[in-house]
Amino acid sequence: MNQKNKTQPKTPGLVWTWGRYLILPILLTIVFVQGKEDSTLPKVTTAAYGEASGHQHGGEDSHSNGHDEPEADTFEGVVFVSLRTQAVLGIETMPVRKSALALTLDLNGTIRPKPDSIHDVHSPVEGIVLNLHAFPGDTVNVGDPLLTLQVPKILDWQQTLLHTHIEETNLSRVKPLIQAEGEAAMIEFLGSLQAKSAETHHFQEELDILQNAGQGAVSRQEIHHKEGELKAARADLLAKRALALAYGISQSQIDEFEKNLTLPENPEGLIAPQYLSLLADKDIGLEKERVNAETAKANLQAVGFPGDQIKRLRGGETSALTDHLTITAKSGGWVVESDINLQQAVSSEDHLFRIVDYRTVYIEAEVPEMDISKAVHRVLTDMPVLPLGLADEVLYATSVYLDTTVHRDRRVAHLVASMDNLPDLTLREGMGVSVGMVIGYEEDVLVVPRSSVQRQGLQSIVFVRDPNHPEDFVRKEVRTGLSNLNEIEIVGGLKEGEEVAVEGAFHLYLALLQASGEGQEIDHGHAHH
């Protein structure tokens, strides 16, 4: 069983689809009028049905004499179209074959953008519109500029980045100086500790001499005075030792230092506490600046400020300062709305643009409650789609989901299908389509494309190419049966193997009517009527 007919009609552009109905009468009129005078032009003529097989062709130039002029009431049979004109009008044929005809549940649907393909652009910050770079109808890509705002507020954030760079630069120069001064102060402290230790030792020696002198050699008052000096020196020495321990100098280092009475190098690069505090204050201040810079950077990024300019400002380039902010497209698509004008003041979150990516579209259709079972048990997820405004343009969509919840008032379920758009993105929101949900197959039936069948009053007709004369197309009335959006069953009037016009059949029909004087009765519809 065939899954579906893979042969699809060719895709004419919109200009050709509609323009052919407008220009064809003019073209045919020129051919009829001038063809009588210039036999080298391609000609469209008609003959009575029954006369087509009795003539012989001598080529394009001799065919004008090969048909007798038919009576006005006999224009029902053959349309002659030169091969050259067939190529111009795009007339194509195919042999009639038996195949499986897809049985479809035909639904009316509407084109909708995919929800995730709709992108609304809002103003990220207050500002004044200086320039507009995109307008409704434009196609934009990711990163394309949409508009430029004047935003004084962003200057504050940029200046924060510059100030942080200045603070980092200053501290990088000042910090080594503070550290050197701190180390020098530590050496000075160690020197005072060493001096105090020597002084204490000296006072002890003097006291020992006084105490060992003979009685009467030294007054008691003098000994008491020296004892006081020694006590004060020891108290000062103990204080300095405690301070040295607090600075991080070990007791063994202190003992060794006092014993050798030499001025050592600064152990482990120790810095006097007051300078450590100064360095800590500098580091804390710089860390605050960096936090502010990160906040400013985040704010700039949030409004779409260019990353390369942020980097330049972070590096100290004052030339990167600007109060202009260009808002760019975050997604590609078609600009469908624009809500701003030049010199307009906009606030944060004001709507600016709507961009829709129409490369893939959704079709929303309603399934009558009585047909829900057919839809649920469909045999294919793919389904033919006929856009109502594109003549015989049959496309294919894939079912996304069927919501069998029935609307309380309309008694319908909801079908959503996805479909790739045409290359020129013709399908847009709100366009109507017919959807054929395949629910089965009728095997071994004679089928032709629906574009082959034309309606003439209550009759269905096709044009069959004469196998002996490829420039002749014989009008045949047919009886039709089952149909879908793409094909129609022929139950009478055609035989398998006959070659029918599948593209340009309407041109043949129009030529027939115009030649018979019935051009005013041309039905501007197509084979689907």
Side-chain angles (χ1 to χ4, degrees):
M1 180 181 294
N2 294 333
Q3 293 299 305
K4 65 180 180 182
N5 185 2
K6 298 295 185 179
T7 302
Q8 302 183 30
K10 291 189 175 180
T11 306
L14 285 176
V15 174
W16 169 247
T17 300
W18 296 108
R20 58 184 177 178
Y21 301 127
L22 300 176
I23 67 172
L24 187 60
I26 299 174
L27 175 62
L28 295 179
T29 301
I30 294 173
V31 170
F32 274 116
V33 174
Q34 294 186 355
K36 296 179 179 179
E37 301 176 357
D38 184 358
S39 61
T40 63
L41 292 174
K43 296 174 287 294
V44 180
T45 60
T46 59
Y49 183 74
E51 296 179 1
S53 59
H55 69 277
Q56 294 182 350
H57 297 292
E60 290 187 8
D61 296 337
S62 62
H63 192 283
S64 59
N65 298 321
H67 287 292
D68 294 331
E69 288 296 327
E71 299 296 330
D73 59 352
T74 62
F75 280 82
E76 58 180 6
V78 179
V79 177
F80 169 79
V81 187
S82 69
L83 296 179
R84 184 188 310 171
T85 305
Q86 289 182 40
V88 171
L89 298 180
I91 296 175
E92 297 181 8
T93 63
M94 64 175 291
V96 181
R97 294 284 184 260
K98 286 187 176 181
S99 65
L101 176 67
L103 305 179
T104 59
L105 173 62
D106 293 340
L107 307 169
N108 293 324
T110 304
I111 297 293
R112 302 290 185 206
K114 292 179 62 179
D116 60 357
S117 69
I118 302 174
H119 305 281
D120 287 307
V121 180
H122 296 85
S123 176
V125 68
E126 296 180 355
I128 303 295
V129 178
L130 292 182
N131 288 299
L132 292 174
H133 307 294
F135 302 88
D138 289 348
T139 299
V140 296
N141 298 313
V142 175
D144 285 353
L146 300 176
L147 79 161
T148 299
L149 296 176
Q150 184 178 29
V151 187
K153 184 176 182 179
I154 63 175
L155 285 175
D156 294 338
W157 298 332
Q158 296 174 69
Q159 288 168 352
T160 298
L161 296 180
L162 285 174
H163 188 264
T164 300
H165 173 77
I166 293 172
E167 287 297 312
E168 288 176 337
T169 302
N170 288 341
L171 184 57
S172 66
R173 292 198 300 261
V174 171
K175 191 172 182 179
L177 299 177
I178 296 175
Q179 188 164 354
E181 289 180 2
E183 291 176 354
M186 178 58 76
I187 293 174
E188 183 179 1
F189 167 73
L190 292 176
S192 67
L193 173 62
Q194 189 178 57
K196 186 55 66 176
S197 176
E199 182 182 35
T200 303
H201 182 71
H202 176 69
F203 285 157
Q204 180 64 56
E205 288 180 343
E206 286 185 341
L207 180 58
D208 290 341
I209 292 173
L210 291 176
Q211 288 177 341
N212 292 329
Q215 189 172 3
V218 178
S219 67
R220 200 63 199 161
Q221 182 179 4
E222 189 176 356
I223 292 175
H224 286 165
H225 177 73
K226 188 57 68 177
E227 287 176 343
E229 288 181 335
L230 177 59
K231 186 180 292 187
R234 284 177 175 173
D236 198 6
L237 179 59
L238 289 174
K240 288 186 180 294
R241 286 175 176 173
L243 191 56
L245 290 172
Y247 286 177
I249 303 174
S250 66
Q251 184 63 54
S252 62
Q253 287 178 315
I254 295 173
D255 293 341
E256 183 67 24
F257 179 55
E258 293 183 9
K259 179 180 178 181
N260 293 332
L261 297 179
T262 59
L263 188 63
E265 295 183 1
N266 188 8
E268 301 180 3
L270 293 175
I271 299 175
Q274 62 270 31
Y275 292 94
L276 285 175
S277 177
L278 181 58
L279 285 174
D281 289 343
K282 292 288 186 182
D283 287 337
I284 292 172
L286 180 59
E287 190 60 30
K288 289 180 179 179
E289 289 291 336
R290 286 173 173 166
V291 170
N292 292 336
E294 287 301 313
T295 302
K297 177 181 176 181
N299 288 334
L300 289 170
Q301 290 175 331
V303 301
F305 197 78
D308 60 332
Q309 280 188 258
I310 292 176
K311 186 176 181 180
R312 290 171 58 197
L313 290 165
R314 199 65 182 84
E317 291 188 40
T318 57
S319 59
L321 277 171
T322 180
D323 64 350
H324 291 186
L325 176 65
T326 299
I327 297 175
T328 59
K330 299 299 184 293
S331 61
W334 186 275
V335 179
V336 297
E337 290 182 19
S338 176
D339 298 332
I340 35 85
N341 298 300
L342 288 175
Q343 299 304 314
Q344 177 180 336
V346 296
S347 301
S348 178
E349 297 305 318
D350 279 358
H351 188 267
L352 304 177
F353 293 93
R354 169 165 286 188
I355 299 172
V356 179
D357 184 353
Y358 276 112
R359 289 176 298 178
T360 301
V361 296
Y362 271 176
I363 298 172
E364 295 185 0
E366 294 181 341
V367 181
E369 184 176 9
M370 66 180 65
D371 293 324
I372 289 179
S373 177
K374 295 178 182 178
V376 170
H377 297 96
R378 60 191 182 277
V379 298
L380 286 179
T381 57
D382 289 349
M383 56 194 74
V385 175
L386 177 65
L388 302 184
L390 300 182
D392 298 324
E393 191 78 35
V394 178
L395 309 172
Y396 286 88
T398 301
S399 175
V400 176
Y401 66 86
L402 172 65
D403 183 0
T404 56
T405 303
V406 176
H407 190 278
R408 182 170 55 186
D409 299 326
R410 298 198 303 272
R411 311 306 301 173
V412 293
H414 189 62
L415 170 70
V416 176
S418 176
M419 179 174 66
D420 289 338
N421 209 327
L422 295 170
D424 57 359
L425 305 181
T426 304
L427 303 178
R428 300 294 173 82
E429 182 174 12
M431 291 181 67
V433 297
S434 295
V435 180
M437 182 177 288
V438 181
I439 57 176
Y441 291 93
E442 184 75 15
E443 299 290 344
D444 199 31
V445 295
L446 204 63
V447 297
V448 295
R450 291 192 66 156
S451 59
S452 300
V453 181
Q454 305 296 310
R455 296 288 298 175
Q456 186 174 19
L458 298 178
Q459 297 178 337
S460 296
I461 63 172
V462 298
F463 290 90
V464 179
R465 187 193 292 274
D466 188 329
N468 298 316
H469 305 287
E471 296 170 322
D472 284 342
F473 291 88
V474 180
R475 172 194 179 278
K476 282 194 174 184
E477 182 181 351
V478 294
R479 298 191 308 278
T480 59
L482 299 171
S483 66
N484 55 39
L485 297 181
N486 196 24
E487 297 175 316
I488 187 168
E489 178 188 14
I490 302 297
V491 297
L494 274 183
K495 297 179 181 179
E496 187 174 7
E498 289 188 294
E499 195 169 341
V500 298
V502 295
E503 293 290 336
F506 181 74
H507 300 332
L508 301 174
Y509 172 57
L510 181 62
L512 186 69
L513 292 183
Q514 286 197 333
S516 65
E518 299 178 1
Q520 69 276 11
E521 298 181 7
I522 294 174
D523 183 356
H524 286 283
H526 47 72
H528 292 230
H529 289 352

